[in-house]
Amino acid sequence: MNRKILIVDDSTTARMFIRRCFEIAGCWDVEFLEAADGKEGLEQAKKHNVELIVTDLNMPNMDGTSFLRRAKGSPRLNPVPVIVITSLKNEEKVRELLDLGAEDVLSKPITPTDVLETLQKIPGWGDSEEQ
């Protein structure tokens, strides 16, 4: 059975780019699910057994910070690693996101190397057979 990665971003192009970075980083045998904002992302994450979530920070309806708070506050979603992608260059915000439970915070534009380095830090992903 394929592992599932949820990509939460209001930009269709950004979701496509993120997916491609993960594929180049070695995530070939993965089912990618997509959501256009945090609200939809929470619904998708609860509906499907996702094993990794990648979220943008600035989105309509529910931003990435609120999404992260809600996901980490949910007993079901709390164990799921969350990677935040942002164009903000703010160390204080990065610390806040990490304190809220994000596995990592990547700056836009991300690269397959960024993705691979982050996956290697996450138990069960860096040593997976997809790498």
Side-chain angles (χ1 to χ4, degrees):
M1 192 161 111
N2 288 356
R3 301 173 94 179
K4 294 179 183 171
I5 296 176
L6 173 62
I7 301 171
V8 185
D9 196 304
D10 57 319
S11 163
T12 306
T13 304
R15 291 194 307 266
M16 204 168 48
F17 182 78
I18 293 165
R19 177 185 182 146
R20 192 68 190 121
C21 284
F22 272 82
E23 290 170 344
I24 292 168
C27 294
W28 303 293
D29 194 24
V30 168
E31 181 181 346
F32 290 93
L33 304 169
E34 297 185 6
D37 61 49
K39 186 174 182 292
E40 186 185 335
L42 283 174
E43 291 166 8
Q44 289 274 25
K46 289 176 181 174
K47 186 176 171 184
H48 305 280
N49 284 330
V50 297
E51 296 172 65
L52 181 67
I53 299 170
V54 183
T55 184
D56 187 24
L57 202 53
N58 295 314
M59 299 178 288
N61 302 322
M62 182 187 296
D63 67 11
T65 305
S66 298
F67 172 82
L68 181 62
R69 274 196 186 98
R70 296 275 300 276
K72 291 303 176 180
S74 160
R76 183 164 169 213
L77 297 179
N78 179 274
V80 178
V82 178
I83 300 169
V84 178
I85 298 175
T86 181
S87 54
L88 292 177
K89 308 283 190 243
N90 180 329
E91 285 303 314
E92 192 173 309
K93 186 66 177 179
V94 169
R95 267 194 308 279
E96 176 192 355
L97 294 166
L98 293 172
D99 288 347
L100 286 172
E103 289 295 323
D104 205 352
V105 179
L106 301 178
S107 294
K108 288 182 179 180
I110 65 166
T111 67
T113 302
D114 295 334
V115 169
L116 185 58
E117 288 172 358
T118 295
L119 288 175
Q120 288 173 340
K121 297 179 207 172
I122 302 172
W125 283 92
D127 55 349
S128 67
E129 63 280 0
E130 286 100 18
Q131 300 302 315

